[in-house]
Amino acid sequence: MMKRIGKMTIRAAALLLVCVVSALVLAGCSESEANRIAETQAVRPVKTVTLAGADDNASWTFPGVVRSLRDVELSFRVGGPVVELTVDRGQKVRKGEVIARIDPRDFEVAVATLAANLAVSEAQLKEAGRQYKRYETLSAKNAAAQATFDSIIASYEVAQASVDASAKRLEEAKNSLADTILIAPFDGYVHQKYIDNHETVSQGQPVISLVDLDNMEVEVAIPEGLLSITREVGSYLCRFDALPGETAAATFKELSKNPNPSNRSYPLYLTLDGNSDHRVRPGMATEVTMTAPRKEAGFLVPETAVVNSSQAGTFIWMVDEAEMAARQVTVSLLGVTPSGLRIDGPLKEGMVVIAAGARGLSDGRKVRLLPEPSPTNVGGEL
């Protein structure tokens, strides 16, 4: 009887143990499922970035120097004593304004003499013309010897050549007389004055230097390895050491075909857009920033925003701002850059992408955007 009771007691204890273990397992499963549901329903804090257009700008900065677009030394094309010098250093002159005069006396005499010579030549040509017509008629009637008529023709041609030569000499003399007046070829300022009034100057001797401050250019040295960027640049912005805080736009003028032999750089010339106040002067040092649009497809995002899965492939999590929930979007990887990954897909500028906290998310999971850290909240303690 005692043995039977012992066996029953053992069976009852075993059954009790099985029930207890089953209850614990069921309780554990229920708790795990409950935790999973609770986790799914909990709001997940995430950091985000906003998609910006991939066609951002690239820029390069090079040193340069300002030059006047027109800086010339003016001189007479003839020589002689200067009888009038109307300008001084620093004076503004207008295009067509008289700067200096040479004594025109000898040039006027030359003009008068050559004009008289031309008159004589024209009279001789007139007489030769009458003889030519007369003998032409006689020759047609066989009333004059051919040799005589040939001589008349030659005389007429010589008279014609004499008139042409006299006319050209007279034209040259008149030009020389006109060249006794030195005229400003453009609006500008007298930079240097090399002579004084009443000095005798020779042909081509500099009288003044005239600089145009309204039209300036900038010379920039471009390394040979970066010549290709000049075809992509859309804008040029100049900053000047002598004018802190001031900038001026410029436009492309030309790129030199020959390099600088000392450093293998190529001079790039830009035209400065406007200098009506003349604050920018020749010789000023400048920094030229050249900007070109990048023509790259897709959008740039942090590496942490892209998720790779054997089942779902490559995707990112977008924030549905209406429901503040995560939405999975399949993307393709275009490339890797020092700033992150370039991706493409059904994306639009302005979309909000989860950059931190993307791992373990599920579609429709509620999210909360973490605020940007305040620059005054040192250590993140506030």
Side-chain angles (χ1 to χ4, degrees):
M1 185 68 176
M2 290 296 296
K3 291 182 179 179
R4 183 178 180 82
I5 295 173
K7 290 181 179 179
M8 292 180 62
T9 303
I10 292 172
R11 288 197 187 101
L15 181 59
L16 179 61
L17 179 59
V18 171
C19 292
V20 170
V21 171
S22 299
L24 290 175
V25 171
L26 291 173
C29 291
S30 300
E31 183 179 354
S32 176
E33 181 66 19
N35 290 340
R36 188 185 66 79
I37 295 172
E39 184 180 352
T40 302
Q41 294 175 346
V43 177
R44 179 78 170 271
V46 294
K47 291 183 179 180
T48 61
V49 293
T50 302
L51 292 183
D55 290 342
D56 52 347
N57 291 329
S59 62
W60 304 265
T61 300
F62 298 101
V65 63
V66 179
R67 305 185 187 281
S68 175
L69 198 59
R70 293 183 291 186
D71 188 352
V72 298
E73 291 184 342
L74 301 182
S75 60
F76 287 103
R77 299 180 66 175
V78 296
V82 177
V83 294
E84 182 181 348
L85 184 61
T86 62
V87 299
D88 206 349
R89 187 180 293 109
Q91 181 178 336
K92 181 175 177 61
V93 296
R94 298 290 184 183
K95 180 179 179 180
E97 184 177 337
V98 174
I99 293 174
R101 296 178 188 268
I102 286 178
D103 188 347
R105 179 181 54 191
D106 294 341
F107 299 93
E108 291 171 344
V109 170
V111 169
T113 300
L114 291 172
N117 290 342
L118 176 60
V120 171
S121 297
E122 289 175 339
Q124 292 173 344
L125 176 63
K126 187 176 181 180
E127 176 59 25
R130 285 197 294 266
Q131 291 291 334
Y132 173 78
K133 288 183 179 180
R134 178 185 172 191
Y135 276 87
E136 183 181 33
T137 302
L138 293 175
S139 178
K141 296 178 180 180
N142 295 321
Q146 184 62 38
T148 304
F149 184 47
D150 290 343
S151 177
I152 294 298
I153 293 175
S155 297
Y156 176 77
E157 291 175 347
V158 168
Q160 181 65 61
S162 177
V163 169
D164 293 342
S166 296
K168 289 181 179 179
R169 287 194 292 269
L170 177 59
E171 183 180 2
E172 290 175 356
K174 289 181 177 179
N175 290 339
S176 295
L177 176 59
D179 289 338
T180 61
I181 303 175
L182 188 61
I183 295 175
F186 54 83
D187 292 352
Y189 289 83
V190 178
H191 180 55
Q192 292 288 344
K193 188 171 76 168
Y194 302 111
I195 68 167
D196 291 322
N197 201 9
H198 307 301
E199 283 188 30
T200 298
V201 297
S202 58
Q203 179 182 357
Q205 178 182 342
V207 175
I208 68 165
S209 64
L210 188 65
V211 59
D212 179 7
L213 296 183
D214 292 327
N215 301 286
M216 311 293 286
E217 70 178 11
V218 176
E219 181 181 342
V220 185
I222 304 296
E224 60 181 347
L226 295 177
L227 288 179
S228 60
I229 69 174
T230 59
R231 295 191 295 267
E232 304 170 3
V233 172
S235 65
Y236 300 87
L237 189 66
C238 302
R239 295 177 176 84
F240 308 96
D241 295 346
L243 303 172
E246 295 191 26
T247 60
T251 54
F252 177 86
K253 181 184 177 185
E254 64 176 331
L255 177 65
S256 176
K257 302 297 186 295
N258 298 317
N260 186 329
S262 63
N263 57 13
R264 302 299 300 173
S265 65
Y266 286 75
L268 170 67
Y269 297 97
L270 308 174
T271 302
L272 205 62
D273 295 347
N275 187 37
S276 58
D277 55 2
H278 302 157
R279 289 174 58 78
V280 179
R281 296 298 182 93
M284 281 188 175
T286 179
E287 280 192 344
V288 180
T289 299
M290 300 182 287
T291 304
R294 296 185 195 271
K295 299 300 182 182
E296 298 183 67
F299 294 88
L300 195 64
V301 296
E303 293 182 12
T304 53
V306 180
V307 182
N308 287 295
S309 168
S310 57
Q311 291 82 18
T314 303
F315 61 91
I316 59 173
W317 292 103
M318 309 293 298
V319 176
D320 183 345
E321 295 184 276
E323 299 182 7
M324 289 307 295
R327 301 297 181 193
Q328 183 175 311
V329 178
T330 301
V331 297
S332 56
L333 183 63
L334 299 181
V336 180
T337 74
S339 303
L341 303 180
R342 191 166 293 281
I343 60 173
D344 199 8
L347 309 174
K348 294 181 180 179
E349 189 169 351
M351 285 183 172
V352 179
V353 177
I354 296 176
R359 296 288 180 179
L361 279 176
S362 58
D363 200 65
R365 175 75 179 273
K366 297 293 185 181
V367 294
R368 172 172 58 86
L369 308 187
L370 290 176
E372 293 289 335
S374 170
T376 59
N377 183 15
V378 180
E381 297 180 357
L382 299 179

